[in-house]
Amino acid sequence: MELNELTVTQALDGLKKKTFSAEELVKSCFGKIKKVEEKVKAFITICEEDALKNAKKTDQLIKDDPQIFEQKPLLGMPIALKDLFSTKGIKTTAGSKVLKDYIPVYDATVVKKLKAAGAIIIGKTNLDAWGHGSSGENSDFFVTKNPWNLQKTPGGSSSGSGAAVSAGECLAATATDTCGSVRAPANFCNLVGLKPTYGRVSRFGVIAMASSLDSIGHLAHTVEDSALFLKVTAGKDPLDATTPNIKVEDYSKTLKKPSKKIIIGLPKEYFIKGIDKEMKLAIESSIKLFEKNGFIINTISLPHTQYALATYYIIQPSEVSSNLARFDGIRYGEKRDCFGEEAKRRIILGTYSLSTGYYDAYYLKAMKVRTLISEDFAKAFAKVDILLTPTSPTPAFNLGEKIKDPLKMYLSDIFSASSSLAGLPVLALPCGFTKDNLPIGMQLIAPQFNESLLFQVGHYFQQITTWHKRRPPLV
Amino acid sequence: MISKKTVQHLADLSKLELTYKELNKFQKQLAEILNYFCLLKKVTTSQVLPTSQVTGLENVLAKDEISPSLSSKEALSQTKNQHNNYFKVKAILNGT
Amino acid sequence: MAQKETATGVTMKYTKFTTIIGIEVHVELKTKSKMFCGCNNHHFQVKPNTHTCPVCLGLPGALPVPNEKAIDWCLLLGLALNCKINNLSKFNRKNYFYPDLPKGYQISQYDSPFCVHGKLEIKDKMQKPRTIRINRVHMEEDTAKLVHAKVDDEEISLIDFNRSGVPLVEIVTEAEIHSSEETIFYLKKIQQIVRYLNISNADMEKGSMRCEINLSLSIDGKLPPFKIELKNINSFRFVKKAIDYEIKRQEKILRLGKIPVQETRGFDATRNKTFSQRTKEEAHDYRYFPEPDIPLIKVSQEKISSLEKILPELPDEKARRFAKEYKLSTYNANLLTFSKKRADYFEEAVKIGKANQVFPEIIANTIVNKRISIKKYLPQEFVKLLLKKQTQKINDQKLISKVITKAMKSNPKAVADFKKGKQVCVGFLLGQVMRETKGKADPLLTQKLLLEKLKS
């Protein structure tokens, strides 16, 4: 096994035991990048020089103080950042031509935290411009491919982060999830994706898509890695007023199987006609596996599920229209004529929902339905501990398949919308493969700020399955 | 259900210039999307309060304390148009 | 494209119009830091773009966190203006494009401002007191400062973001002010109160207090279907001139049977005229929606009580107390309470004066007539000087008595009022004697003699 194919946990162990150096680890990632990046096209910016410099520094740090891992829990870990995360001195484009030459003068809070934890940034990954999309095809620069099948989408909007981790170009990557942008790539690329509770991770410095929905997450190979990562990124940030002062647990230490019997709820509205057959089978056998191992399975109802996507597609573009107003080309970036088609479409749609005469019928109505959707979950969580659903209706679809039809593309987010609107934490994880060797995933949904339960159940699943250990055939 | 004139007005409000092609395309697509939104009419919401935030937080405030600012060099580092430490734009009349 | 006035089809040659004015005042709060970030709030004559950060520059990814002190001060002003404080408030985004607005929206308040339904007593044209209802007092952020220049033969505008994000309180009246005199009285009163609270310099010239006057003439006393907004006028004097001009201008248009064009107008001080500031036909729809980046703000009863405790005695109240407690004329009481500093000085001097048999009326007169500068001397020194001056005074009893008799003869009403119990008249008559003797009569002696004569 190459070093770049290790999980974060394994790589940390290797560094601690001095089996290899940080420099070797980082070089191994760049070796892979050189081999596959031309095909995968995951990165907008690659920071090889700085990363190697940092790797050497890291090795010196480890040499000086072998205990340093206690202060720096991600020391030497080669990670990538979705290009929405502001990085001081490193170009940050949001996947849009509007910011093609924009170099931030400050680091996002999460970037600061990751740097402080010792992580090494190897590059900035491609995405649907501004996070607007489910396939990555809305990037203003180029289209990222799925390492499992280059004809397929890696999922969006965090397409580059998904492809990069999956292809072994880095060990983990940050991503954002407004309505599935972490989960779709996890699902399509055989990764573990965490969309934390809204407010659990600071949004400061992450270019905003829809402020009341944006959740700052990450992609990795295992639940264990995901837990380690969240411990670093989560917490109250004085610069983000929407981060509550709720204690960040030591998620890695609480990964053991939950002591009490966990009741898994299956919302019947998610198990409907139209779900891919192979996907349905894979999820059903995962449910059986849980049941066999002592979990209790209950079917429940989230009656407003069918309204979630419409609600989401009113609220999100409204906030988008306002959030993208700052891009006027005066202080930074290009003029507004550089916005791509999808951004323009959402700005116009959102402007419509907020304008005089339509506000009550659209925006206000959507905010009210949002209340009902949140209440559905509250009622469900009175009966069950955690929910299990498909992540999307199908495995990775073909590039080009939906890009001409925005509504069809929007509908691929259908299983992400409710939990986003309610601000709940969701863990997407691998649970099978199609006969064409495409990954299949499922998602676990927990009550607000109960990420530790997601990790416990997810980790348990990964101990009794091996789907997450498969790597794409791409050389 | 949504006219070209409305789409043009929305573009003006959001300071976007649309080509004739885009205008036509957006009109069609928006009509389709807005039609999909009609689904929400089925939900009774007369007794429901709107949710604009999900954290339940209140009174998250900062103390009145000065923290360091950017240097003017940093502030102006990303603009293409500056003059004597100011950002520069084409002349605009005072007041809107 | 300029719009044409539309015809009303009504002849209004003899109609008497009512002036209807609503006022929006903006005051910049003098907190240490800005409204939503930690940048230094000070921006007047500071090197451009040196007090900025990702938040107030509107950089991608930056988020606002509201300044607690600014909100407290907004609430305090609301209480001073007799407002009801909403127990749950929120910020809203007001969306519009302008180069001085970095985010493309201003964080402001819309349907749940901090303070509503206030009132303020002013005086009308005839000096008769009347109450103006205040619609709301809300919190928002200031925009950047635009400077217009010509560089290399090119007309340009320059932007300084030091002012961007400065806390701004907006005070909105109901449209029920009827003259330029009332407007100026109201504006000065707001300025005085804000300065009493010590929350803003409220300087019109420096822009820390700004006003927008919505003015229209009504035929029937009801709100007409058009309004003209007077904006960007930086002194009380010009505001008055602009209103007076505007009333005449609108009257002329209405008398021709037309309706004035709804627009924003500025004031050209050199030509003494208002002028249209409309640049082009721009669509306006602010698309307010709740600011998702800032949680709701709950104002508890305890919070209100604690603010009420620190609410200082306000000018009107203080003037009434001065008049009563120190037996001053309304005129003197108003002058002495013009600023809190002056009022405090006076009271301090009165306290010191008491031990030295110097009466409040004399201290009041001395301050009002600027016989001893309060800027140069501490209250202690002020009283000492006053005593010293008194020893150089005329203390010829006969001479003073003569002047007193003369003053009483020429002011029979004051004498009669005194007999009816109006103590204030002593101050008035004292003032007359002082004037006659060019301020040289020994005030203590004069007062003693005056009282004797009045009571006899």
Side-chain angles (χ1 to χ4, degrees):
Chain A
M1 205 180 202
E2 300 289 330
L3 296 182
N4 62 297
E5 286 176 28
L6 297 174
T7 66
V8 172
T9 311
Q10 289 165 338
L12 279 169
D13 198 46
L15 283 187
K16 279 180 200 163
K17 290 185 179 142
K18 302 203 167 66
T19 321
F20 48 82
S21 67
E23 195 181 350
E24 285 169 308
L25 178 63
V26 170
K27 275 187 170 162
S28 155
C29 288
F30 283 110
K32 185 73 175 183
I33 288 174
K34 276 175 195 106
K35 258 189 242 162
V36 302
E37 181 56 17
E38 212 168 277
K39 289 180 197 156
V40 176
K41 293 173 93 78
F43 288 93
I44 292 174
T45 305
I46 293 173
C47 317
E48 186 167 4
E49 205 180 309
D50 273 352
L52 288 172
K53 224 187 274 169
N54 282 331
K56 277 184 190 148
K57 263 191 227 159
T58 302
D59 285 327
Q60 190 59 46
L61 280 176
I62 300 172
K63 209 175 142 199
D64 293 347
D65 176 11
Q67 302 306 308
I68 192 143
F69 289 94
E70 280 164 32
Q71 301 152 44
K72 293 181 177 291
L74 292 176
L75 188 62
M77 293 303 105
I79 62 160
L81 304 174
K82 187 178 185 178
D83 213 15
L84 278 179
F85 290 68
S86 297
T87 40
K88 187 172 179 173
I90 304 172
K91 192 172 78 170
T92 301
T93 67
S96 167
K97 289 218 169 119
V98 173
L99 293 182
K100 66 183 172 64
D101 299 315
Y102 169 64
I103 298 172
V105 290
Y106 77 111
D107 273 332
T109 297
V110 168
V111 174
K112 256 190 205 158
K113 285 183 164 188
L114 287 167
K115 280 184 180 173
I120 294 173
I121 295 159
I122 63 154
K124 305 290 294 285
T125 60
N126 196 19
L127 65 151
D128 287 293
W130 311 105
H132 299 169
S134 317
S135 69
E137 292 164 280
N138 287 329
S139 167
D140 285 351
F141 301 116
F142 47 82
V143 174
T144 300
K145 313 286 169 57
N146 188 328
W148 288 89
N149 179 337
L150 296 173
Q151 311 302 313
K152 305 277 177 186
T153 165
S157 65
S158 315
S159 51
S161 286
V165 180
S166 174
E169 295 173 300
C170 58
L171 270 52
T174 64
T176 60
D177 189 313
T178 309
C179 183
S181 289
V182 160
R183 292 169 272 173
N187 190 27
F188 294 171
C189 295
N190 202 42
L191 298 172
V192 173
L194 176 74
K195 173 205 123 49
T197 308
Y198 177 87
R200 178 73 289 186
V201 179
S202 166
R203 293 181 291 122
F204 190 81
V206 181
I207 299 177
M209 177 174 158
S211 312
S212 79
L213 295 152
D214 292 346
S215 167
I216 311 307
H218 47 266
L219 290 153
H221 287 293
T222 64
V223 174
E224 214 175 1
D225 286 2
S226 193
L228 200 61
F229 209 98
L230 185 67
K231 173 77 165 58
V232 171
T233 57
K236 161 90 190 152
D237 179 6
L239 299 176
D240 178 354
T242 60
T243 53
N245 204 354
I246 292 175
K247 193 177 167 271
V248 176
E249 289 167 61
D250 197 342
Y251 303 109
S252 305
K253 291 205 173 119
T254 56
L255 276 180
K256 58 190 185 305
K257 189 183 175 185
S259 46
K260 66 166 216 158
K261 275 208 173 218
I262 295 294
I263 309 172
I264 298 177
L266 307 177
K268 65 176 193 216
E269 291 80 6
Y270 285 72
F271 295 86
I272 44 168
K273 267 196 295 188
I275 295 182
D276 177 84
K277 267 188 199 148
E278 286 181 280
M279 194 154 198
K280 196 166 168 252
L281 276 174
I283 290 172
E284 278 168 0
S285 52
S286 303
I287 294 166
K288 275 185 198 130
L289 194 60
F290 273 121
E291 203 167 15
K292 212 175 95 189
N293 283 280
F295 289 79
I296 300 163
I297 309 293
N298 273 347
T299 298
I300 55 118
S301 171
L302 298 169
H304 294 92
T305 303
Q306 57 169 318
Y307 306 114
L309 198 72
T311 303
Y312 170 78
Y313 269 98
I314 291 171
I315 293 174
Q316 173 260 105
S318 299
E319 294 181 7
V320 163
S321 72
S322 177
N323 284 337
L324 293 185
R326 67 184 61 197
F327 299 96
D328 56 8
I330 294 175
R331 288 144 295 133
Y332 47 81
E334 310 299 312
K335 292 195 178 125
R336 292 179 73 76
D337 55 7
C338 288
F339 276 120
E341 191 180 306
E342 183 62 24
K344 285 187 192 171
R345 185 158 37 237
R346 293 195 190 197
I347 291 170
I348 287 179
L349 181 58
T351 302
Y352 181 80
S353 312
L354 290 175
S355 58
T356 312
Y358 302 102
Y359 182 89
D360 287 4
Y362 292 97
Y363 193 73
L364 186 63
K365 178 82 182 184
M367 287 203 298
K368 288 178 172 182
V369 181
R370 188 176 188 177
T371 305
L372 296 173
I373 289 166
S374 297
E375 285 171 3
D376 277 0
F377 281 108
K379 283 176 201 156
F381 286 126
K383 292 180 204 144
V384 301
D385 298 306
I386 198 165
L387 300 170
L388 188 158
T389 85
T391 311
S392 61
T394 66
F397 49 88
N398 284 331
L399 289 165
E401 191 180 320
K402 301 184 182 181
I403 195 68
K404 293 236 163 65
D405 185 348
L407 188 55
K408 203 165 165 193
M409 187 69 93
Y410 295 172
L411 284 166
S412 49
D413 296 332
I414 195 143
F415 293 149
S416 301
S418 300
S419 43
S420 278
L421 288 165
L424 302 174
V426 188
L427 186 72
L429 68 167
C431 71
F433 276 83
T434 67
K435 61 181 187 307
D436 296 333
N437 205 33
L438 281 180
I440 293 173
M442 62 179 176
Q443 60 180 351
L444 298 170
I445 307 169
Q448 280 182 310
F449 298 100
N450 206 346
E451 279 82 358
S452 59
L453 180 64
L454 290 180
F455 290 141
Q456 284 165 6
V457 176
H459 182 60
Y460 182 79
F461 186 76
Q462 293 202 324
Q463 284 180 310
I464 55 173
T465 56
T466 56
W467 309 113
H468 60 284
K469 290 185 179 162
R470 294 204 197 174
R471 295 290 187 269
L474 186 91
V475 180
Chain B
M1 72 177 272
I2 181 165
S3 65
K4 272 197 201 83
K5 204 180 143 201
T6 305
V7 178
Q8 186 57 56
H9 172 68
L10 295 170
D12 291 344
L13 272 179
S14 41
K15 228 182 166 190
L16 293 175
E17 279 171 33
L18 300 184
T19 61
Y20 187 71
K21 213 175 132 193
E22 281 174 320
L23 192 66
N24 278 321
K25 193 174 178 182
F26 286 170
Q27 183 203 8
K28 199 175 141 267
Q29 290 173 339
L30 289 185
E32 207 180 321
I33 295 164
L34 293 175
N35 187 44
Y36 176 67
F37 293 165
C38 286
L39 187 67
L40 296 188
K41 284 186 187 155
K42 285 199 273 176
V43 196
T44 313
T45 51
S46 50
Q47 301 296 312
V48 182
L49 290 172
T51 296
S52 55
Q53 296 183 1
V54 292
T55 59
L57 285 168
E58 278 168 0
N59 296 19
V60 183
L61 308 167
K63 290 259 173 308
D64 184 26
E65 288 163 353
I66 297 174
S67 54
S69 293
L70 296 169
S71 67
S72 63
K73 201 178 147 205
E74 284 174 300
L76 290 148
S77 67
Q78 298 302 303
T79 183
K80 293 186 179 118
N81 296 300
Q82 54 176 299
H83 177 78
N84 285 348
N85 285 310
Y86 287 96
F87 291 87
K88 188 178 97 176
V89 290
K90 273 192 287 180
I92 27 172
L93 284 171
N94 204 358
T96 37
Chain C
M1 206 176 65
Q3 280 181 17
K4 283 262 174 352
E5 287 112 13
T6 44
T8 57
V10 186
T11 312
M12 285 183 276
K13 219 169 174 177
Y14 308 106
T15 317
K16 200 172 173 307
F17 300 105
T18 313
T19 304
I20 298 188
I21 294 172
I23 306 174
E24 287 170 29
V25 173
H26 286 97
V27 288
E28 284 183 345
L29 299 183
K30 54 177 183 187
T31 47
K32 289 195 200 90
S33 58
K34 291 187 180 180
M35 186 62 219
F36 297 113
C37 62
C39 283
N40 189 328
N41 196 29
H42 187 58
H43 64 86
F44 190 72
Q45 288 175 344
V46 173
K47 189 182 165 205
N49 295 303
T50 50
H51 293 173
T52 72
C53 73
V55 178
C56 57
L57 268 182
L59 296 189
L63 298 169
V65 183
N67 183 332
E68 185 170 19
K69 176 61 90 20
I71 293 176
D72 283 356
W73 284 359
C74 178
L75 296 170
L76 197 63
L77 180 56
L79 290 173
L81 298 175
N82 308 295
C83 289
K84 173 184 171 289
I85 307 293
N86 274 327
N87 61 6
L88 202 59
S89 289
K90 64 172 185 288
F91 284 100
N92 284 75
R93 290 190 187 176
K94 178 181 181 181
N95 296 285
Y96 67 95
F97 286 94
Y98 210 66
D100 64 6
L101 188 68
K103 299 187 293 297
Y105 57 85
Q106 180 190 35
I107 304 178
S108 180
Q109 298 194 285
Y110 184 56
D111 53 353
S112 39
F114 287 123
C115 325
V116 290
H117 303 144
K119 57 181 195 288
L120 185 66
E121 193 172 284
I122 64 158
K123 290 212 173 91
D124 70 6
K125 249 182 181 168
M126 317 306 295
Q127 294 298 305
K128 234 176 77 194
R130 66 178 285 243
T131 299
I132 300 300
R133 283 178 301 153
I134 288 165
N135 175 286
R136 61 198 276 137
V137 176
H138 81 226
M139 186 86 247
E140 57 186 37
E141 56 178 337
D142 209 346
T143 57
K145 191 157 179 57
L146 287 171
V147 183
H148 307 284
K150 197 169 189 175
V151 175
D152 300 334
D153 265 352
E154 188 197 3
E155 295 280 351
I156 56 165
S157 295
L158 300 169
I159 320 172
D160 172 13
F161 287 92
N162 286 346
R163 200 182 74 179
S164 166
V166 165
L168 206 56
V169 171
E170 179 173 325
I171 308 145
V172 185
T173 68
E174 298 293 349
E176 56 190 26
I177 293 163
H178 299 307
S179 66
S180 60
E181 288 83 358
E182 285 182 6
T183 304
I184 300 304
F185 194 102
Y186 170 82
L187 291 175
K188 285 186 172 169
K189 190 100 262 180
I190 291 286
Q191 182 184 53
Q192 191 185 27
I193 290 172
V194 164
R195 286 178 176 174
Y196 254 71
L197 300 178
N198 199 23
I199 58 176
S200 169
N201 295 327
D203 189 323
M204 291 278 283
E205 278 79 12
K206 288 179 184 165
S208 53
M209 173 168 167
R210 308 193 277 271
C211 63
E212 290 168 37
I213 312 288
N214 291 309
L215 188 156
S216 49
L217 295 193
S218 164
I219 306 159
D220 49 8
K222 287 188 195 130
L223 209 57
F226 67 93
K227 83 183 173 195
I228 274 68
E229 191 175 279
L230 297 173
K231 222 172 156 176
N232 303 317
I233 310 175
N234 64 357
S235 81
F236 292 135
R237 201 157 59 93
F238 292 154
V239 169
K240 180 159 191 327
K241 284 185 172 178
I243 293 174
D244 290 339
Y245 176 85
E246 191 55 27
I247 292 172
K248 281 191 200 125
R249 188 187 72 91
Q250 289 187 24
E251 205 174 301
K252 219 161 137 191
I253 295 168
L254 288 164
R255 292 229 188 277
L256 290 170
K258 291 177 182 167
I259 290 179
V261 178
Q262 173 141 338
E263 62 181 351
T264 298
R265 296 178 73 87
F267 183 67
D268 182 342
T270 49
R271 293 161 65 202
N272 256 325
K273 283 167 102 169
T274 65
F275 64 94
S276 174
Q277 284 192 328
R278 175 181 294 260
T279 45
K280 59 174 180 183
E281 195 53 43
E282 261 187 272
H284 271 299
D285 185 343
Y286 293 128
R287 289 158 284 138
Y288 283 99
F289 73 101
E291 167 57 276
D293 291 327
I294 303 175
L296 298 177
I297 294 169
K298 195 175 249 175
V299 183
S300 66
Q301 199 48 56
E302 292 81 65
K303 177 69 162 188
I304 296 173
S305 306
S306 76
L307 288 170
E308 274 167 344
K309 261 183 218 141
I310 60 164
L311 193 65
E313 185 181 30
L314 294 169
D316 282 359
E317 201 184 323
K318 204 185 267 293
R320 276 195 287 273
R321 179 171 66 80
F322 275 21
K324 202 176 150 202
E325 195 173 325
Y326 305 119
K327 304 190 176 63
L328 306 182
S329 64
T330 313
Y331 176 77
N332 275 359
N334 282 340
L335 277 178
L336 288 172
T337 53
F338 173 74
S339 72
K340 189 160 179 299
K341 210 171 150 194
R342 196 187 287 175
D344 290 348
Y345 187 101
F346 168 73
E347 290 209 280
E348 180 68 23
V350 166
K351 226 199 270 165
I352 298 161
K354 206 173 173 187
N356 299 296
Q357 297 290 307
V358 184
F359 293 103
E361 296 98 307
I362 291 156
I363 293 170
N365 277 325
T366 312
I367 293 177
V368 169
N369 299 329
K370 296 192 180 123
R371 274 198 288 271
I372 299 172
S373 163
I374 63 168
K375 278 190 191 132
K376 278 194 211 147
Y377 303 102
L378 293 169
Q380 186 90 42
E381 301 163 334
F382 178 93
V383 175
K384 240 186 221 167
L385 273 171
L386 192 60
L387 281 167
K388 204 170 148 198
K389 277 204 172 182
Q390 279 178 1
T391 57
Q392 300 166 355
K393 302 263 160 173
I394 302 170
N395 39 24
D396 180 337
Q397 281 210 24
K398 267 188 193 161
L399 183 65
I400 293 172
S401 292
K402 233 184 191 168
V403 183
I404 290 174
T405 315
K406 195 180 157 200
M408 282 170 64
K409 264 190 189 150
S410 39
N411 295 287
K413 191 171 179 298
V415 177
D417 283 352
F418 176 81
K419 300 230 156 113
K420 278 183 211 151
K422 274 201 182 169
Q423 288 289 318
V424 179
C425 301
V426 178
F428 173 76
L429 289 168
L430 203 61
Q432 297 300 311
V433 175
M434 285 297 172
R435 187 191 284 171
E436 188 65 27
T437 59
K438 298 197 170 73
K440 282 189 181 155
D442 178 337
L444 288 177
L445 183 61
T446 311
Q447 182 167 313
K448 190 173 145 254
L449 294 172
L450 177 64
L451 282 171
E452 279 172 13
K453 275 194 190 272
L454 282 168
K455 281 174 186 162
S456 69

